[in-house]
Amino acid sequence: MANEKTSQKVLNALDAEQTQWYHFTATMIAGMGFFTDAYNLFSISLVTNLLGRIYYHVEGSPKPGSLPPHIAATVNGVALIGTLCGQIIFGCLGDKLGRRRVYGITLGIIVISSIASGLSWGHTPGSVMGTLCFFRFWLGYGIGGDYPLSATIMSEYANKKTRGAFIAAVFAMQGFGILSGGLVSIIISKVFKSVYPAPSYANNPLGSTVPEADYIWRLILMFGAVPAILTFYSRSRMPETARYTALVAKDSTRAAADMTKVLKREIDIPVWPWPEIHIEPETVAVPETVVVPEIVPVPEIVETESRPVKSEIVNNVKSVTFGLFSRQFVSWHGTHLLGTTSTWFLVGIAFYSQNLFQKDVFSAIGWIPKPAKMSAVEEVYYISRAQTLIALFSTVPGYWFTVVLVDRVGRFWIQIGGFLMMTVFMFALAIPYHHWTLSENQIGFVAMYSFSLFFTNFGPNSTTFIVPAEIYPARLRSTCHGISAAAGKAGAIVGTFGFLFLAQEKNGHSSGIGIRNFLIFLGCVNMLGMFFTLLVPESKGKSLEEISQEN
């Protein structure tokens, strides 16, 4: 009975607790991981053109050197492959070993791999790219672990009233990571441009890429280790979540002790749903004649194979014990898993293709000068400036609109509305594409493109991260979030390789369908996302146990 009371009080304290300082502390610790993740994933797009100039210069060519499509795809996509693997592996480990136990490992992998990426070595261009890809795979592997663990930890710490906002705030740090990548690149390229001035490629092909430019991409990539190092100690000191300890580890005493440290007070919320009733003996009148009714024995309930759900009562809370591949899981959550994986897959295609290759789109419409008119360092500066402006005015605001409104509007309407607006803007860009390529219409194109990114983040890119951390049982929550996130990275890989091979105009390497048709393709992808959103339940205002049917 004591354990039942303790478990009840812990879970109810988490759901009913007012917003406390520890909510913001947990958000910052988990969020800095996502800040680092986004910086490392998207900073590579700022330096791929520089890598081509340094290592693939062709003597006498009218255009600067560029990475061949297969190498460019590998450099951009290998971290995403690592991320996909890390999401699945660490998602499972988070349920098997505990969220906290493996949480610090992911950050350690990120720190080591970020530094190693900047130290990539070799005597030939191929060997440099090979070592860079090797370390970026492991960088992605560490980043992948952050997705299910951070989302699950934040959802299990938060109360039911503001849970969506805090999970969204963790994910919103991605926007600041993308913004910081652009700012760091601007600063580094500006410094190198001042210290090592160089002519444009058209004026001096060989002299336009100074030898010192090789340090630029290395410094930009290595900086990704800094925020991870700053939060490593705080992450290692976080206690295990009470829901994992009570429902999965089945240690309600330790769960109460951990939450007492977190809440900075003893847990004294009354037991739910029935308070304990004390009847004083002296208040009970005993009649002279007492009629004792016949006691009818209650038949023992025997669990049979035909029962649809296998579960057990632990600490007065039903702890689900069926496995991921069981018929019971398919019956309860199979449709949900299809919904969270498919929608994340589809938004992954749109989001990563748009972010990783902004420079290609802006170059195509003339917003960034032609590569031949710039030196190598200048090109890094202009690409970084474009990405920073887009992040500042569309990406970051989109994330924080979700933070403010997700617990008011709900996950479902934000996600379906985001997919709808993304579809509208993609078609609005693609159908009159020639109109937008004219110099007098460039600002309009950039504005439309920015609105599309805004509704990606004030929409499915945020909600697909939030919902899988809420709707699955505690013992499968991290695993299912990892599977859903891995589906998103599979979509990111499709978007990355798809843009490189499908959106190419005739560029000396290959030809594809062109940017206009690729934008039409993205519009169709977003339209599909609206339909698959119908499979995802609304979780606003409900406790995790109520959503996952654990109570």
Side-chain angles (χ1 to χ4, degrees), residues 49 220 264 362 507 514:
N49 284 15
I220 291 172
K264 305 299 183 184
F362 294 146
N507 61 355

Side-chain angles (χ1 to χ4, degrees), residues 413-427 455 459-460 523 526-527 529-530 533:
W413 290 112
I414 288 179
Q415 181 163 311
I416 204 165
F419 270 126
L420 174 62
M421 297 306 295
M422 291 162 64
T423 303
V424 170
F425 282 110
M426 281 295 105
F427 286 140
F455 282 105
N526 296 331
M527 191 180 298
M530 285 191 293
T533 298

Side-chain angles (χ1 to χ4, degrees), residues 266-523:
E266 293 292 333
I267 299 174
D268 55 2
I269 294 179
V271 178
W272 178 90
W274 302 285
E276 187 173 354
I277 299 175
H278 297 278
I279 301 178
E280 299 297 333
E282 60 269 21
T283 64
V284 180
V286 181
E288 294 182 1
T289 305
V290 179
V291 178
V292 180
E294 181 182 357
I295 299 177
V296 180
V298 179
E300 182 182 358
I301 299 176
V302 180
E303 184 174 355
T304 65
E305 292 297 325
S306 62
R307 292 188 65 184
V309 178
K310 183 183 179 184
S311 63
E312 58 180 311
I313 304 300
V314 179
N315 298 330
N316 210 35
V317 178
K318 183 168 64 177
S319 177
V320 176
T321 58
F322 55 71
L324 179 65
F325 301 103
S326 65
R327 286 182 298 175
Q328 290 90 343
F329 179 86
V330 173
S331 175
W332 279 22
H333 298 290
T335 303
H336 299 161
L337 189 60
L338 175 61
T340 57
T341 52
S342 59
T343 52
W344 208 336
F345 173 81
L346 294 168
V347 77
I349 295 175
F351 180 72
Y352 277 85
S353 61
Q354 286 179 264
N355 274 281
L356 284 173
F357 304 106
Q358 289 178 24
K359 63 183 187 301
D360 301 271
V361 175
F362 294 146
S363 296
I365 66 166
W367 198 42
I368 296 176
K370 297 295 183 182
K373 296 181 179 180
M374 299 180 288
S375 68
V377 179
E378 284 178 324
E379 188 172 24
V380 174
Y381 171 78
Y382 280 109
I383 292 172
S384 303
R385 188 183 67 173
Q387 177 168 304
T388 301
L389 290 173
I390 293 296
L392 185 62
F393 292 108
S394 65
T395 304
V396 173
Y399 281 118
W400 290 96
F401 264 70
T402 304
V403 174
V404 173
L405 297 175
V406 68
D407 286 312
R408 301 178 186 181
V409 178
R411 289 73 160 146
F412 176 83
W413 290 112
I414 288 179
Q415 181 163 311
I416 204 165
F419 270 126
L420 174 62
M421 297 306 295
M422 291 162 64
T423 303
V424 170
F425 282 110
M426 281 295 105
F427 286 140
L429 288 171
I431 294 172
Y433 181 71
H434 176 71
H435 168 80
W436 298 117
T437 60
L438 301 177
S439 58
E440 63 268 22
N441 299 321
Q442 290 175 6
I443 295 177
F445 182 95
V446 173
M448 297 279 281
Y449 193 85
S450 299
F451 275 119
S452 176
L453 279 174
F454 172 82
F455 282 105
T456 304
N457 296 305
F458 178 41
N461 191 45
S462 296
T463 52
T464 51
F465 177 81
I466 298 169
V467 174
E470 298 179 312
I471 65 175
Y472 297 109
R475 68 185 301 272
L476 297 173
R477 185 169 292 136
S478 178
T479 300
C480 291
H481 192 285
I483 293 171
S484 302
K489 282 300 171 285
I493 293 168
V494 170
T496 301
F497 286 82
F499 189 95
L500 277 168
F501 291 106
L502 293 180
Q504 296 289 332
E505 308 291 352
K506 293 182 179 180
N507 61 355
H509 294 296
S510 63
S511 61
I513 63 176
I515 291 178
R516 178 181 182 272
N517 291 327
F518 192 77
L519 293 175
I520 293 175
F521 166 74
L522 291 181

Side-chain angles (χ1 to χ4, degrees), residues 20-356:
Q20 302 284 340
W21 179 247
Y22 83 89
H23 286 115
F24 296 99
T25 302
T27 301
M28 287 304 300
I29 294 172
M32 285 306 292
F34 271 90
F35 176 99
T36 305
D37 298 347
Y39 180 97
N40 285 303
L41 284 177
F42 293 105
S43 60
I44 191 65
S45 66
L46 303 173
V47 299
T48 49
N49 284 15
L50 178 62
L51 291 171
R53 284 182 180 248
I54 295 172
Y55 296 104
Y56 291 89
H57 171 73
V58 178
E59 192 67 34
S61 173
K63 295 182 179 180
S66 62
L67 297 177
H70 67 283
I71 294 179
T74 305
V75 169
N76 282 287
V78 68
L80 299 177
I81 297 172
T83 304
L84 186 153
C85 297
Q87 286 165 335
I88 295 175
I89 299 299
F90 281 102
C92 295
L93 291 177
D95 285 331
K96 296 293 183 183
L97 304 179
R99 289 66 158 124
R100 176 186 177 276
R101 187 174 296 182
V102 294
Y103 201 29
I105 297 175
T106 62
L107 214 58
I109 295 173
I110 292 171
V111 170
I112 295 171
S113 301
S114 296
I115 296 173
S117 295
L119 298 176
S120 299
W121 63 86
H123 297 291
T124 65
S127 60
V128 175
M129 294 301 105
T131 52
L132 174 61
C133 290
F134 174 80
F135 291 125
R136 281 192 63 79
F137 171 85
W138 290 107
L139 174 65
Y141 188 75
I143 290 172
D146 241 16
Y147 276 73
L149 295 174
S150 291
T152 302
I153 286 172
M154 199 66 242
S155 72
E156 293 181 344
Y157 269 147
N159 60 53
K160 64 182 180 181
K161 184 178 179 181
T162 59
R163 183 180 60 240
F166 279 108
I167 302 173
V170 170
F171 196 61
M173 294 300 289
Q174 261 200 354
F176 289 126
I178 296 171
L179 180 65
S180 297
L183 291 174
V184 169
S185 301
I186 287 173
I187 294 170
I188 293 176
S189 60
K190 197 73 173 176
V191 170
F192 273 77
K193 182 182 175 182
S194 300
V195 178
Y196 306 103
S200 68
Y201 183 87
N203 293 330
N204 187 344
L206 194 59
S208 65
T209 305
V210 294
E212 292 79 8
D214 192 55
Y215 293 112
I216 294 177
W217 69 270
R218 297 178 184 275
L219 290 173
I220 291 172
L221 296 185
M222 291 173 71
F223 186 83
V226 174
I229 292 172
L230 294 177
T231 56
F232 186 83
Y233 177 77
S234 298
R235 181 173 288 198
S236 66
R237 301 289 295 175
M238 291 182 74
E240 183 59 86
T241 69
R243 281 188 162 91
Y244 178 86
T245 307
L247 297 176
V248 182
K250 303 175 184 177
D251 188 345
S252 59
T253 303
R254 194 180 77 187
D258 286 342
M259 290 316 300
T260 296
K261 296 176 185 177
V262 169
L263 298 174
K264 305 299 183 184
R265 66 173 177 79
E266 293 292 333
I267 299 174
D268 55 2
I269 294 179
V271 178
W272 178 90
W274 302 285
E276 187 173 354
I277 299 175
H278 297 278
I279 301 178
E280 299 297 333
E282 60 269 21
T283 64
V284 180
V286 181
E288 294 182 1
T289 305
V290 179
V291 178
V292 180
E294 181 182 357
I295 299 177
V296 180
V298 179
E300 182 182 358
I301 299 176
V302 180
E303 184 174 355
T304 65
E305 292 297 325
S306 62
R307 292 188 65 184
V309 178
K310 183 183 179 184
S311 63
E312 58 180 311
I313 304 300
V314 179
N315 298 330
N316 210 35
V317 178
K318 183 168 64 177
S319 177
V320 176
T321 58
F322 55 71
L324 179 65
F325 301 103
S326 65
R327 286 182 298 175
Q328 290 90 343
F329 179 86
V330 173
S331 175
W332 279 22
H333 298 290
T335 303
H336 299 161
L337 189 60
L338 175 61
T340 57
T341 52
S342 59
T343 52
W344 208 336
F345 173 81
L346 294 168
V347 77
I349 295 175
F351 180 72
Y352 277 85
S353 61
Q354 286 179 264
N355 274 281
L356 284 173

